[in-house]
Amino acid sequence: MDDKFDCIIVGGGIAGLSAAMELAKNDMKFLLIERGEFAGAKNVSGGVLWGTDLARLVPEYWTEDPDEAGWERFVNHRRLTFMDDQSAFSFDFKSDHFDAQPYKGLVVLRSKFDRWLADKVQEAIDQSEVAMESFLATNILVDKVLKDENGKVNGIKAGEEEFFADSVIIAEGVNNLLTRQVGLQDEYVPADHVMTGVKEVIRMDRETIDERFQLDGLSGMSNEFLGYATDGVEGGGFLYTNRASLSVGLVLGLKDLREKVKKPYDILNKFKEHPAIADMIRGGEVVEYSAHVVSSGDMRVMPEEIYADGVMIAGEAANLLMNAGKAIQGMDYAMRSGILAAETVMEAKEAGDFSKQQMKTYRDKLEESYVLKDMRGFQGAVQTLHQPEMVDEIPDLVCDFGRKFFTVDDSPTPKARKMFSEAVSKNSSWWNLMRLSLKAAKNL
Ligand SMILES: Cc1cc2nc3c(=O)[nH]c(=O)nc-3n(C[C@H](O)[C@H](O)[C@H](O)COP(=O)(O)OP(=O)(O)OC[C@H]3O[C@@H](n4cnc5c(N)ncnc54)[C@H](O)[C@@H]3O)c2cc1C
């Protein structure tokens, strides 16, 4: 047995496990190292896994016994809510077309999902031709990425142990210390374009969730929030229905939090007290609280390059994430980039070449995929969403208009355009509105 692997994957999150699955299915010898006690132990997510790549990794996963499956519900009901301190104005979309396999949005709880996916990877290893030569190792922290005398990455160091491979996929998530160590990103990354996510899992019995959110079977709802949710801090809120719990949380700009001297947990508590949220979580019991840094989707924080001799960076370690107001897309980007990195390893093995020139194929594949196409195409929208006006001015305007429009009383009713004009004058200005509308029209 050759003691060198085709590939070592650092990180058993979505990017790492997706790469591993692809390698296992193609009889490649690999070692995946995860620092958590099990895959998913260290992972936090809101979270909806968008896209259909899971069906490629685990074909027909939806036919599994729902009680054994790693996912919670598929999304058939989407809602985007603007909030002020007393109102909530939503764009609401529910459709049966979502109820088609492969599902395009799955609500997941990461500790459960990642563990399930790791089991599927282990099954694929067991069925591969190199079943005794590929491994998933947990509870091990990779300290260092090793390079040979020519500067090509050729392995990793964990404690006193060294392991060698033709290639390394770094899928370590947003705290990308090893990415910095190999020189693909500056040692210091300013917090300006980084967010922090805080999330609670609120237990609630399944019948209550089904009735309260008008769900049926495994259907689920995703709700994003702008405005009062973040108490004046850049960011947004979310609420997702799991089978027997709700995931409720916020994603907040680190720089803005620091400058406004606010604490994420206080903002989360305030968010939960808003009448619209309080009605949704009533009777539930908080069973988990977690916090995690998350990319803003701003390409200015991406590593300068995502490959070098013998190495590729996948998932959020490469800051592959987008949040242009419609959804947070980090998990699907992690999945696709993991798959593409694994494909690159296989092609490199075929060519007998793991040099930088060969690894560039990974970048090309990502550029051709929806991941970098969308990140580039919607950078303007990401930046518009982070404009100060989106924090309260616009949500206040929308809610103020909604309050006037939906109120019926015994005084003469003005025309809607007059109501809108009043809401603009009170909360913003025509100039600001025009500026933002033009940006939105251009970027969305
Ligand atoms: C509050 C919140 C809500 C979110 N909501 C959504 C959502 O709804 N939809 C969505 O698509 N995305 C969402 N995201 C983003 C999403 O969670 C990430 O983009 C995604 O998890 C990135 O996957 P990854 O595999 O790249 O990294 P991770 O999932 O972070 O996995 C990295 C893994 O590497 C391991 N690791 C790190 N360093 C080492 C080391 N040195 N040695 C060994 N192991 C190591 C870690 O333990 C971890 O398991 C959310 C994030 C947050 C914080």
Side-chain angles (χ1 to χ4, degrees):
M1 185 175 107
D2 185 359
D3 61 358
K4 189 170 73 163
F5 295 96
D6 296 319
C7 183
I8 292 174
I9 302 167
V10 182
I14 291 193
L17 290 169
S18 304
M21 180 65 103
E22 206 62 11
L23 293 178
K25 284 182 173 180
N26 288 281
D27 303 315
M28 304 291 278
K29 286 189 294 180
F30 69 90
L31 167 66
L32 179 147
I33 304 183
E34 163 57 42
R35 69 182 165 156
E37 217 177 303
F38 55 89
K42 300 264 181 200
N43 293 337
V44 169
S45 189
V48 182
L49 169 61
W50 301 103
T52 56
D53 278 344
L54 181 61
R56 166 173 169 176
L57 297 177
V58 187
E60 305 202 349
Y61 62 84
W62 52 87
T63 55
E64 281 194 14
D65 175 355
D67 294 329
E68 304 287 319
W71 53 285
E72 296 290 309
R73 291 173 185 263
F74 71 89
V75 174
N76 79 336
H77 188 177
R78 300 206 55 193
R79 200 188 275 159
L80 173 64
T81 302
F82 291 85
M83 275 182 159
D84 68 9
D85 58 341
Q86 46 171 254
S87 323
F89 191 131
S90 298
F91 293 90
D92 191 286
F93 185 73
K94 189 169 187 176
S95 174
D96 265 0
H97 95 280
F98 287 127
D99 188 0
Q101 292 122 3
Y103 299 120
K104 292 192 175 63
L106 288 183
V107 187
V108 299
L109 287 168
R110 287 295 298 282
S111 54
K112 186 172 152 193
F113 179 78
D114 289 16
R115 209 172 186 168
W116 170 82
L117 192 56
D119 287 346
K120 297 286 168 197
V121 175
Q122 188 58 56
E123 282 172 24
I125 292 176
D126 295 342
Q127 288 162 15
S128 77
E129 285 173 12
V130 285
M132 304 306 284
E133 294 169 75
S134 289
F135 306 94
L136 299 183
T138 53
N139 234 340
I140 298 172
L141 176 77
V142 173
D143 300 305
K144 199 168 173 216
V145 175
L146 303 173
K147 291 183 181 174
D148 66 14
E149 59 287 358
N150 301 317
K152 177 193 167 293
V153 168
N154 68 346
I156 58 98
K157 187 167 185 195
E160 292 308 308
E161 302 271 7
E162 292 185 345
F163 298 93
F164 295 95
D166 285 325
S167 60
V168 171
I169 298 175
I170 301 181
E172 60 184 338
V174 65
N175 293 324
N176 56 1
L177 301 177
L178 298 175
T179 304
R180 296 174 204 195
Q181 200 192 92
V182 292
L184 288 173
Q185 183 151 42
D186 288 346
E187 278 298 313
Y188 172 71
V189 179
D192 300 23
H193 307 297
V194 180
M195 322 279 284
T196 185
V198 285
K199 179 191 136 189
E200 281 184 0
V201 176
I202 299 179
R203 186 160 54 203
M204 194 173 279
D205 65 70
R206 193 167 168 172
E207 292 71 32
T208 308
I209 295 179
D210 284 353
E211 274 172 30
R212 192 168 290 176
F213 295 91
Q214 299 170 331
L215 301 172
D216 184 25
L218 288 174
S219 66
M221 190 197 72
S222 73
N223 197 164
E224 278 82 27
F225 301 85
L226 282 174
Y228 179 84
T230 59
D231 197 18
V233 174
E234 172 198 353
F238 59 83
L239 184 146
Y240 304 123
T241 55
N242 303 309
R243 273 189 222 169
S245 63
L246 305 174
S247 291
V248 181
L250 300 168
V251 174
L252 301 162
L254 270 178
K255 184 171 175 250
D256 215 21
L257 266 176
R258 194 183 55 219
E259 284 174 4
K260 291 178 176 148
V261 201
K262 293 201 170 167
K263 295 197 183 89
Y265 196 61
D266 294 341
I267 305 177
L268 183 58
N269 278 336
K270 215 167 157 187
F271 175 51
K272 284 164 53 189
E273 283 164 14
H274 187 282
I277 302 296
D279 277 351
M280 291 198 255
I281 63 174
R282 196 177 338 104
E285 182 199 355
V286 178
V287 288
E288 196 184 302
Y289 172 77
S290 47
H292 205 280
V293 174
V294 59
S295 315
S296 64
D298 192 313
M299 290 189 84
R300 285 175 286 189
V301 282
M302 270 188 81
E304 274 165 41
E305 201 32 277
I306 53 175
Y307 66 93
D309 273 324
V311 65
M312 287 168 279
I313 316 295
E316 227 187 311
N319 278 294
L320 298 177
L321 184 136
M322 193 169 74
N323 181 7
K326 201 165 72 167
I328 306 177
Q329 287 180 264
M331 291 189 273
D332 57 326
Y333 284 14
M335 197 165 261
R336 177 61 67 93
S337 60
I339 292 172
L340 296 179
E343 278 179 13
T344 307
V345 171
M346 293 184 281
E347 288 165 14
K349 186 173 179 184
E350 180 87 26
D353 176 9
F354 289 86
S355 68
K356 189 174 173 180
Q357 289 74 10
Q358 181 72 29
M359 295 291 123
K360 181 177 174 291
T361 321
Y362 169 56
R363 171 101 207 184
D364 297 341
K365 286 172 187 286
L366 262 182
E367 291 284 359
E368 279 161 31
S369 75
Y370 79 107
V371 174
L372 283 183
K373 280 204 166 102
D374 283 356
M375 279 186 76
R376 289 194 194 292
F378 289 93
Q379 265 310 287
V382 170
Q383 282 162 24
T384 307
L385 187 72
H386 292 284
Q387 296 284 306
E389 290 86 354
M390 296 308 292
V391 175
D392 36 31
E393 202 172 299
I394 298 300
D396 284 354
L397 187 164
V398 173
C399 289
D400 198 21
F401 171 72
R403 206 164 22 246
K404 293 181 205 305
F405 186 80
F406 289 110
T407 301
V408 179
D409 61 17
D410 49 7
S411 56
T413 308
K415 287 276 192 308
R417 65 170 183 274
K418 183 161 190 290
M419 294 179 187
F420 189 71
S421 190
E422 281 172 8
V424 173
S425 311
K426 184 175 164 203
N427 300 285
S428 179
S429 67
W430 284 107
W431 166 243
N432 261 359
L433 199 62
M434 212 167 62
R435 205 172 44 81
L436 283 170
S437 308
L438 281 175
K439 275 194 177 167
K442 186 170 153 232
N443 295 318
L444 283 174

